[in-house]
Amino acid sequence: MALCAALGAVLGAAVWLWPQGDSEAEEEAQTCWGVLAELDIHSSGSIGACGDALETAMTGKPAGSEPSDAAPVRLTEKQSQAFEHVVNAYGERDVNARSMPSGIRRNLAQAITYYRNDVYQIVHGQVDYSDPNFSTEPNGIDIDAMIMLGFLEGVAGDEVAFRMVRESMFSLIVQQVKDLDQGDFAGKPSGEIDDAYGVARDSGEGVGTLRWVRSKALERQYEGSGGKLKKALASEDFSAYGFSWLEQLIRNHASSLAVPETVESKRRLEGILSEAEDSYQRGLGGTPGYTEGGG
């Protein structure tokens, strides 16, 4: 009922007259409403109104509503199916793919913040979530990693939208690292499971992939203009969200735990950082970790 009310509010405000001659905007809006029609949501209006309706379909909330700080966020099956549908609709990369209009990128980024746990699991790519044997937690999302990367690349064409996605992913990475205790840094565990190396692998792959996504979005934006692309890449503060950020996060946390400085603990920390950096480099290649040669 809440979803219907929220959608009604969005769609009720969608009455809009097309500006004369704006055929591109009209085509983008028609395509966007076509995506919603495939979800049995029928209306028309501006691209902005359609973006709001897309967001509401995926989150069940009025556009612009932020999720609770508590993670993970559990959505309904209908909303999760809408998220899968929209990602598949705008994440394809072939020549016939639907391009993502700039007017809906922030709506899509806002929706991603609700599915941050699911998206992060796909991004660090240790298993193939398009395989019916695997589904993300908590929303059971089944999407091919390369389609998700194509979707994120589209969103990353908007700097503000990309920052929203990056911050939501980084909040999970920070929590993962903070969940490691002194024993994780003191030495190699005796059992088969190595939590610290697992966190290093997942976070390194995630951070590297996000940097790759932003770089690819800039390459697409400045295609054919090498000088502008070079300037745009140079203006990116990769130190704020590249490997140096992750390395500092891990080192600071290890320091806060007052791990005794021994030959073994020093070797252990460097091993964790090496695993994180290797995974980061894989992420920079835009290749999911589960694929052959991906790690």
Side-chain angles (χ1 to χ4, degrees), residues 54 58 86 100 104-112 151 155:
L54 282 174
M58 292 184 282
V86 174
M100 184 182 294
I104 67 172
R105 285 172 178 157
R106 296 183 189 182
N107 294 107
L108 301 182
Q110 188 69 46
I112 288 171
F151 183 74
V155 171

Side-chain angles (χ1 to χ4, degrees), residues 82-137:
F83 180 73
E84 284 186 348
H85 178 72
V86 174
V87 172
N88 281 308
Y90 285 111
E92 290 284 0
R93 293 181 172 184
D94 61 37
V95 292
N96 298 315
R98 291 178 259 211
S99 60
M100 184 182 294
S102 59
I104 67 172
R105 285 172 178 157
R106 296 183 189 182
N107 294 107
L108 301 182
Q110 188 69 46
I112 288 171
T113 66
Y114 282 78
Y115 294 88
R116 56 188 180 268
N117 291 73
D118 306 273
V119 174
Y120 179 56
Q121 290 163 48
I122 296 170
V123 163
H124 68 60
Q126 303 309 319
V127 299
D128 179 5
Y129 286 106
S130 67
D131 186 324
N133 292 314
F134 301 103
S135 292
T136 64
E137 293 291 340

Side-chain angles (χ1 to χ4, degrees), residues 265-278:
S265 67
K266 289 179 181 179
R267 184 183 299 119
R268 173 70 172 166
L269 177 58
E270 292 309 313
I272 292 168
L273 290 172
S274 178
E275 179 71 22
E277 186 168 17
D278 288 346

Side-chain angles (χ1 to χ4, degrees), residues 214 218 222 227-238:
R214 176 60 174 162
L218 290 173
Y222 295 106
K228 290 183 179 180
L229 172 61
K230 187 176 181 179
K231 185 177 180 180
L233 289 171
S235 69
E236 287 288 303
D237 186 9
F238 288 122

Side-chain angles (χ1 to χ4, degrees), residues 139-154:
N139 292 299
I141 302 299
D142 300 308
I143 294 176
D144 180 80
M146 297 310 295
I147 290 178
M148 179 60 77
L149 294 187
F151 183 74
L152 292 174
E153 182 186 329

Side-chain angles (χ1 to χ4, degrees), residues 17-292:
L17 297 177
W18 296 112
Q20 293 295 320
D22 197 356
S23 59
E24 182 179 354
E26 181 176 357
E27 183 178 351
E28 288 181 342
Q30 288 177 342
T31 301
C32 180
W33 288 111
V35 172
L36 279 165
E38 293 164 356
L39 294 168
D40 204 25
I41 299 170
H42 302 278
S43 190
S44 62
S46 70
I47 189 63
C50 187
D52 288 349
L54 282 174
E55 184 181 333
T56 296
M58 292 184 282
T59 68
K61 304 286 186 181
S65 302
E66 295 186 3
S68 166
D69 288 338
V73 181
R74 187 73 172 90
L75 285 301
T76 68
E77 183 177 358
K78 184 176 182 180
Q79 290 156 7
S80 296
Q81 289 173 348
F83 180 73
E84 284 186 348
H85 178 72
V86 174
V87 172
N88 281 308
Y90 285 111
E92 290 284 0
R93 293 181 172 184
D94 61 37
V95 292
N96 298 315
R98 291 178 259 211
S99 60
M100 184 182 294
S102 59
I104 67 172
R105 285 172 178 157
R106 296 183 189 182
N107 294 107
L108 301 182
Q110 188 69 46
I112 288 171
T113 66
Y114 282 78
Y115 294 88
R116 56 188 180 268
N117 291 73
D118 306 273
V119 174
Y120 179 56
Q121 290 163 48
I122 296 170
V123 163
H124 68 60
Q126 303 309 319
V127 299
D128 179 5
Y129 286 106
S130 67
D131 186 324
N133 292 314
F134 301 103
S135 292
T136 64
E137 293 291 340
N139 292 299
I141 302 299
D142 300 308
I143 294 176
D144 180 80
M146 297 310 295
I147 290 178
M148 179 60 77
L149 294 187
F151 183 74
L152 292 174
E153 182 186 329
V155 171
D158 182 300
E159 184 178 0
V160 173
F162 173 68
R163 192 180 307 122
M164 292 166 62
V165 173
R166 186 184 75 210
E167 289 177 357
S168 70
M169 297 294 105
F170 276 24
S171 69
L172 298 178
I173 292 172
V174 169
Q175 190 57 55
Q176 271 194 320
V177 172
K178 286 186 175 180
D179 284 343
L180 297 175
D181 60 25
Q182 189 181 81
D184 291 312
F185 288 96
K188 187 176 181 180
S190 56
E192 293 182 3
I193 298 176
D194 191 328
D195 290 335
Y197 269 61
V199 169
R201 182 170 55 252
D202 292 352
S203 60
E205 188 107 27
V207 172
T209 299
L210 286 175
R211 176 169 174 175
W212 177 84
V213 160
R214 176 60 174 162
S215 297
K216 295 299 290 185
L218 290 173
E219 288 174 14
R220 183 183 294 265
Q221 182 178 348
Y222 295 106
E223 187 175 3
S225 181
K228 290 183 179 180
L229 172 61
K230 187 176 181 179
K231 185 177 180 180
L233 289 171
S235 69
E236 287 288 303
D237 186 9
F238 288 122
S239 65
Y241 63 94
F243 178 71
S244 58
W245 174 83
L246 180 59
E247 179 183 19
Q248 198 60 48
L249 174 68
I250 294 172
R251 287 190 183 279
N252 287 346
H253 181 59
S255 177
S256 73
L257 295 172
V259 179
E261 287 195 22
T262 65
V263 172
E264 184 179 5
S265 67
K266 289 179 181 179
R267 184 183 299 119
R268 173 70 172 166
L269 177 58
E270 292 309 313
I272 292 168
L273 290 172
S274 178
E275 179 71 22
E277 186 168 17
D278 288 346
S279 298
Y280 175 76
Q281 293 298 329
R282 285 198 299 272
L284 285 180
T287 304
Y290 68 82
T291 59
E292 184 178 355

